[in-house]
Amino acid sequence: MVWLQPGFSLPSLFLHPTQLTDPCLAPSNLRWTPGMALQDVCKWQAPDTQETSPHLPQAGSWAVPRGWDPQAFLQTHGPRLAHGTTTLAFRFRHGVIAAADTRSSCGNYVECPASRKVIPVHQHLLGTTSGTSADCVTWYRVLQRELRLRALREGQLPSVAGAAKLLSVMMSRYRGLDLCVATALCGWDRSGPALFYVYSDGTCLQGNIFSVGSGSPYAYGVLDRGYRYDMSTQEAYALARRAVAHATRRDAYSGGSVDLFHVRESGWEYVSRHDAWVLYSELQKLPGPEKEWEEEATPDRAGEGREPSVGLAPGDLKVPTERL
């Protein structure tokens, strides 16, 4: 084996085979020394495989003007571009449902009406993305690489909880540096369906229902009313589509189409993509629970209202006027 020392010239590479095998015949600038390694020649150091290496700048190496705190500088001089979205995920007995709209906005400008906000990580794990698009895509690529390395070293993929913890720990190092990633990790591991919420400040929560984005309050209103853990698959599909469609109606930063994914024991499945406006129009034509309640509360032809469903007489509903 021949190691090249610094300062060798190009003509010295064209040598006779005997000069490469016999150290005594090699030129002075080509020296063969037993035990020499690459770090002895070019000062190269092997990376530490025990720690994660997202190949991003360290938290203290960002280039900001001298005398400025990085967090204060970004808050004062950073861009102020409003953005929003509607993403949701919920767990039920047949797996995990993930749904999102497809509108990517930048201030008052719709940058892309058909973006993909649900990103697959591997066959049994995917996640919704909310926040800055570049940050979300970058960190999901980092997560894909780290999980692949873990699988090669350990012989199996980490659990959904392990993937969520790994992502939260990696992003927590950049807390206060205007990193904006909010995601719901949906997967199926050895313990069954699992759902975790991860934020860029290191937050990691486990739950059954999560909705992230500017349209999440409207989506939560639909989910809280119609969610049941023992739902059928078609009921879960209809609930996810209805929640995102109603959110796109009320939230200006959400729109486009509704993407629907289903994570099963066999892996994730891309179910459908429906136009949000068409879906909302079709939902308005269906008889909803509100209309049925109005029909039940309407008095009959004789002018007599229906009795309360709890079985109380009208006199029982009066407030007593006696003093205590």
Side-chain angles (χ1 to χ4, degrees), residues 18 21 33 68 76 90 106 109 113 146 150 154 182 247 290:
T18 57
T21 56
T33 305
W68 278 87
T76 306
F90 58 85
C106 182
Y109 175 70
E146 294 298 331
R150 289 283 185 91
E154 302 172 4
E290 295 83 358

Side-chain angles (χ1 to χ4, degrees), residues 80-96:
R80 293 292 178 265
L81 299 177
H83 52 83
T85 184
T86 300
T87 64
L88 61 88
F90 58 85
R91 189 171 67 100
F92 72 120
R93 64 176 181 174
H94 297 295
V96 185

Side-chain angles (χ1 to χ4, degrees), residues 116-161:
R116 181 68 60 85
K117 298 182 182 180
V118 181
I119 301 178
V121 180
H122 56 72
Q123 185 179 0
H124 292 83
L125 181 65
L126 53 80
T128 64
T129 58
S130 177
T132 305
S133 299
D135 293 340
C136 294
V137 173
T138 299
W139 280 103
Y140 263 94
R141 289 178 179 175
V142 172
L143 180 62
Q144 290 173 354
R145 186 196 65 226
E146 294 298 331
L147 294 182
R148 177 59 176 165
L149 292 176
R150 289 283 185 91
L152 293 175
R153 287 196 295 262
E154 302 172 4
Q156 62 182 2
L157 286 169
S159 62
V160 181

Side-chain angles (χ1 to χ4, degrees), residues 49 246 271 320:
T49 59
H246 279 276
V271 179

Side-chain angles (χ1 to χ4, degrees), residues 5 115 117 137 140 147-148 169 172 196 203 207 212-213 219 279 281:
Q5 292 284 11
S115 61
K117 298 182 182 180
V137 173
Y140 263 94
L147 294 182
R148 177 59 176 165
V169 169
S172 64
F196 286 83
T203 302
V212 188
L279 186 60
S281 302

Side-chain angles (χ1 to χ4, degrees), residues 2-320:
V2 178
W3 295 104
L4 303 180
Q5 292 284 11
F8 68 90
S9 58
L10 185 61
S12 62
L13 295 178
F14 300 94
L15 303 175
H16 193 271
T18 57
Q19 292 180 301
L20 297 178
T21 56
D22 190 355
C24 298
L25 300 178
S28 60
N29 60 346
L30 288 178
R31 298 178 182 177
W32 176 82
T33 305
M36 290 185 64
L38 184 58
Q39 56 264 30
D40 299 328
V41 178
C42 57
K43 306 303 181 181
W44 177 83
Q45 296 295 331
D48 188 5
T49 59
Q50 301 297 328
E51 299 181 358
T52 59
S53 55
H55 291 290
L56 292 174
Q58 298 296 325
S61 62
W62 294 86
V64 297
R66 181 175 300 178
W68 278 87
D69 177 67
Q71 182 177 0
F73 179 80
L74 291 174
Q75 291 178 353
T76 306
H77 302 282
R80 293 292 178 265
L81 299 177
H83 52 83
T85 184
T86 300
T87 64
L88 61 88
F90 58 85
R91 189 171 67 100
F92 72 120
R93 64 176 181 174
H94 297 295
V96 185
I97 298 296
D101 72 307
T102 61
R103 174 179 293 177
S104 294
S105 57
C106 182
N108 297 326
Y109 175 70
V110 178
E111 183 179 359
C112 179
S115 61
R116 181 68 60 85
K117 298 182 182 180
V118 181
I119 301 178
V121 180
H122 56 72
Q123 185 179 0
H124 292 83
L125 181 65
L126 53 80
T128 64
T129 58
S130 177
T132 305
S133 299
D135 293 340
C136 294
V137 173
T138 299
W139 280 103
Y140 263 94
R141 289 178 179 175
V142 172
L143 180 62
Q144 290 173 354
R145 186 196 65 226
E146 294 298 331
L147 294 182
R148 177 59 176 165
L149 292 176
R150 289 283 185 91
L152 293 175
R153 287 196 295 262
E154 302 172 4
Q156 62 182 2
L157 286 169
S159 62
V160 181
K165 184 64 176 178
L166 175 63
L167 181 61
S168 65
V169 169
M170 289 191 300
M171 292 193 300
S172 64
R173 300 166 52 198
Y174 301 91
R175 182 185 306 170
L177 296 177
D178 211 25
L179 180 66
C180 185
V181 177
T183 178
L185 285 174
C186 318
W188 193 301
D189 53 20
R190 293 175 294 275
S191 62
L195 176 62
F196 286 83
Y197 168 75
V198 180
Y199 189 58
S200 51
D201 64 352
T203 302
C204 183
L205 302 175
Q206 183 179 10
N208 290 330
I209 304 176
F210 288 114
S211 182
V212 188
S214 56
S216 60
Y218 312 108
Y220 269 126
V222 178
L223 291 174
D224 290 341
R225 178 162 187 161
Y227 171 77
R228 302 190 325 274
Y229 185 81
D230 58 348
M231 287 186 299
S232 65
T233 301
Q234 295 302 322
E235 288 176 339
Y237 290 171
L239 177 63
R241 293 191 185 105
R242 185 167 66 251
V244 178
H246 279 276
T248 58
R249 174 67 175 176
R250 296 296 181 182
D251 181 38
Y253 293 102
S254 303
S257 302
V258 180
D259 279 340
L260 186 63
F261 287 78
H262 186 186
V263 182
R264 305 174 183 266
E265 186 177 3
S266 58
W268 62 268
E269 174 190 357
Y270 182 39
V271 179
S272 64
R273 169 175 284 193
H274 287 87
D275 184 88
W277 172 250
V278 175
L279 186 60
Y280 180 80
S281 302
E282 293 176 353
L283 291 174
Q284 291 299 105
K285 298 177 183 178
L286 299 177
E290 295 83 358
K291 296 182 179 179
E292 296 177 358
W293 180 83
E294 291 178 358
E295 293 177 357
E296 294 178 358
T298 303
D300 54 13
R301 294 182 179 179
E304 298 179 357
R306 298 185 181 182
E307 296 182 357
S309 59
V310 294
L312 298 176
D316 297 336
L317 300 178
K318 294 181 180 180
V319 179

